[in-house]
Amino acid sequence: MNQIKKHKADQLGYNFIPREYLPEGKDEYYLRFQQNPASDYRKLTKQEITILQSNRNRSSNWDDVLVRDGIDIHLIEECTFFGLVRIGKLEQYFLEFSEVKFPVGLYHSQIVSCDIGDNVSISNVKFLAHYIIESDVIIANVNEMSCTSHAKFGNGIIKEGERESVRIWLELCNENGGRKVLPFEGMLSGDAWLWTKYRGDQELMQAFQQFTEQQFDTLRGYYGTVGKRTVIKNTHILKDVKIGSDAYIKGASKLKNLTINSNEKASTQIGEGCEMVNGIMGVGSRAFYGVKAVRFILSPFSQLKYGARLINSYLGENATVSCCEVLNSLIFPAHEQHHNNSFLCAALLMGQSNMAAGATIGSNHNSRGADGEIQAGRGFWPGLCVSLKHNSRFASFTMIAKGNYPAELDIPFPFSLISNDEQHNKLVIMPAYWFMYNMYAIQRNERKFADRDKRIDKRQHLEFSCLAPDTANEIYRALHILERFTGKAFYKEHKMIGSDADYALKGRSLLEHESPIVGKLRVMGSGIENSKRPVHIIKVQESYNAYKRMLLFYIGSNLKNYCLEKGTFSLEQFATQNETTTINNEWINVGGQLISRDDLDGLIQQIKNRQISGWEEVHQFYLQTAQKYDEQRTRHAFGLLLQLTGLQPADIDLPYLESFFKQTLETKEWITKNVKLSKEKDYKNSFKNMMYESKEELENVLGAFEDNAFIIQQNEELHIFRQEMHQLLQAFNSSFTSSEL
């Protein structure tokens, strides 16, 4: 039976805060007056009350309808007021937005205990209760817009007298809730990752919950707010929603328990048919056309479109989810997921990812419970109709070809192409695929993501370069894995017995000397797929060469930038300062920001030692580590050079650097050439060209190849790179001359 309670009519609009939760000496308005401390309201005159009544307005108590001087009382028609209502100045204007015009004033609405700003247009709102509405706001054709005394606005907190069971958690990365976090306004993807990752450290988990709870109080009685210049029209229900300035909400079905951040520089928008419950929207974010979002965080400048469903998930900055479903996932910035039938469940995607149509990443649990996970590094790209099993893990920039992958995967090769050869019942891996065959895409992605970064408040430094400390370390490890697998294949071919150390030594020798034997070996992987079928590693020599070339380019580019910035060309001082540098310094992708393991461990220790006592201090840590990132990356590159070549710091002399930088320039020229060649294939593909009867038709549809803006940009960057290298080489020559004198 529905519990419908009856109260006296004259009590409507009063007793917002239950008496048992009112602090001693306070009334029900004390928090409202803190939220809106304006005191320039006055009571209505008898003449004004007469005018209001003649315009078919009603109130249970006209003494509790207060106004500001300058109000044109004629602009209030057919409204009913309950409780304390404070109305700002209303003047003879109309407000125009998106070519629709709304007269200033209050019309045909029921208003319960609200503060209404200057020159607001409110019309046809059937029930508006307990809101503070700022100036120049438009609210039209809304069925219900109300706020309860225990509103939490999407944050994972509870109010006085509430049970723990009502607290909102986001169950990220795993459907069993074992990695759940408390959402809070201002939560960054790095915060969410830290909270989901270190589940074995209960002291740290308790600290994170304390950080969240201390940002809010448990008091009841906060009103919902609507910021200046916000427009809300043709919407069914808004309940317990806090809305910033300049937001635009039109045609939404249900918005409940939300914080909608928005401002004059970054307007947030919600469109037709959206149902959004228990969530937080960042500035500049958008939701359109039938979106369903429940228990979610939508980060600044991210979008949900065309029936997308986001449930128990965190979507990072500058990301788009369209026409598809995302459940129990933590997604770092710059994610793209379009097309119908795409599905992502119980996953950690570390940014710059792209989900193709029909990809089913989730709900293929191999255990007896829904407790599996997918983890993928930056640049994850599953192709059309890819189906994966939990648990699976992928190195950065892994591309997966169309197919139903029957078992769990652990892919250690970055920039690889994974294929499911059903005919021969084997898994096929081509390491370094992107570098060998799609240089245009991998280089363009880097620029594309940077250009799309619309964030205003950049609390985390996002790394968009495909070559960075995380991927460089992955490449370095992949080189050693290729050496071991190659050596093992050689031993097997010759019916020899050896250890992993023997395999690695032999494989390194074969690959470093580019032995023709490598091309004849059947190189197989192990520990990559949880099955008994073979895992075939193809194009091993080519992959090894591409990996090593790009790794040396990463090193050379960083050392070049260091020399130019510091104005020193010998690197002797740098080498002396970094004699003990190695690549053992692991780099972690913390919400899209790369942070060294040492720094991250230091953060965790500071939190546990109470030296860091809140999320704002954690965010300051992100900023501080970003400031030293360039220097740390250079140190990492130098250590990688020592590890890769076996040299000592003293061996890095001017003659070596001159040769090394010439090689770096050659690689940059090779990259630029391959960018052009990989794109040029599109224009020479006979199956693509068969759609066009003439070159003119093709160029009008696709654009002329020689006018490709990205290729032109790459050539310009090569020109600058070449100039910088020549500057370095001239400096080296000067150093040689000085030393000879």
Side-chain angles (χ1 to χ4, degrees), residues 41 57 247 395 431 472 517 547 556:
Y41 296 99
N57 296 290
I517 296 174
Y547 271 152

Side-chain angles (χ1 to χ4, degrees), residues 13 18 32 94-95 115 150 193-194 323 342 377 413 721 733:
R32 171 182 177 180
F94 68 83
L95 307 179
D115 288 351
H150 50 82
W193 181 83
L194 287 169
C323 302
S342 297
F413 299 108
F721 197 95
N733 290 330

Side-chain angles (χ1 to χ4, degrees), residues 354-359 381-386 399-403:
N354 194 311
M355 291 275 293
W381 196 318
L384 294 170
C385 299
V386 162
M399 175 177 276
I400 307 177
K402 178 180 179 179

Side-chain angles (χ1 to χ4, degrees), residues 320 322-325 335-344 349 353-361 380-387 398-403:
T320 299
S322 174
C323 302
C324 42
E325 187 171 23
H335 171 80
E336 296 292 324
Q337 184 170 347
H338 302 272
H339 314 293
N340 228 347
N341 300 322
S342 297
F343 179 76
L344 183 65
L349 300 190
S353 40
N354 194 311
M355 291 275 293
T360 306
I361 315 301
F380 181 58
W381 196 318
L384 294 170
C385 299
V386 162
S387 177
T398 297
M399 175 177 276
I400 307 177
K402 178 180 179 179

Side-chain angles (χ1 to χ4, degrees), residues 507-519:
R508 186 177 306 117
S509 175
L510 293 173
L511 291 167
E512 287 288 352
H513 294 92
E514 299 190 35
S515 171
I517 296 174
V518 175

Side-chain angles (χ1 to χ4, degrees), residues 450-595:
D451 290 343
R452 291 179 180 176
D453 187 6
K454 299 178 181 178
R455 293 175 301 151
I456 298 170
D457 184 12
K458 297 185 178 183
R459 307 300 297 274
Q460 288 197 263
H461 172 76
L462 302 181
E463 177 59 87
F464 296 121
S465 175
C466 66
L467 292 176
D470 61 336
T471 53
N473 282 354
E474 287 182 319
I475 291 173
Y476 182 79
R477 289 191 291 269
L479 287 171
H480 289 291
I481 295 171
L482 285 176
E483 290 167 355
R484 177 162 52 86
F485 286 168
T486 302
K488 187 174 182 179
F490 179 86
Y491 269 67
K492 183 177 181 180
E493 178 72 18
H494 293 83
K495 297 180 173 57
M496 299 164 58
I497 298 175
S499 65
D500 283 347
D502 296 328
Y503 302 153
L505 186 63
K506 184 61 181 178
R508 186 177 306 117
S509 175
L510 293 173
L511 291 167
E512 287 288 352
H513 294 92
E514 299 190 35
S515 171
I517 296 174
V518 175
K520 300 176 182 179
L521 294 175
R522 183 175 171 81
V523 179
M524 310 304 292
S526 59
I528 291 176
E529 184 177 67
N530 186 21
S531 73
K532 295 181 180 180
R533 69 175 186 162
V535 176
H536 190 189
I537 315 297
I538 63 173
K539 295 189 178 294
V540 175
Q541 186 66 66
E542 296 92 328
S543 301
Y544 189 85
N545 293 346
Y547 271 152
K548 196 164 185 181
R549 186 168 197 173
M550 295 301 287
L551 194 55
L552 289 169
F553 178 73
Y554 162 77
I555 297 166
S557 299
N558 276 281
L559 295 182
K560 169 188 74 73
N561 293 338
Y562 173 84
C563 289
L564 292 173
E565 182 181 348
K566 300 297 183 182
T568 177
F569 305 105
S570 69
L571 285 177
E572 292 175 359
Q573 182 180 0
F574 185 85
T576 301
Q577 293 173 345
N578 295 276
E579 288 185 0
T580 60
T581 299
T582 69
I583 67 158
N584 293 331
N585 185 9
E586 185 182 358
W587 285 78
I588 312 297
N589 186 343
V590 182
Q593 178 174 354
L594 301 185
I595 299 176

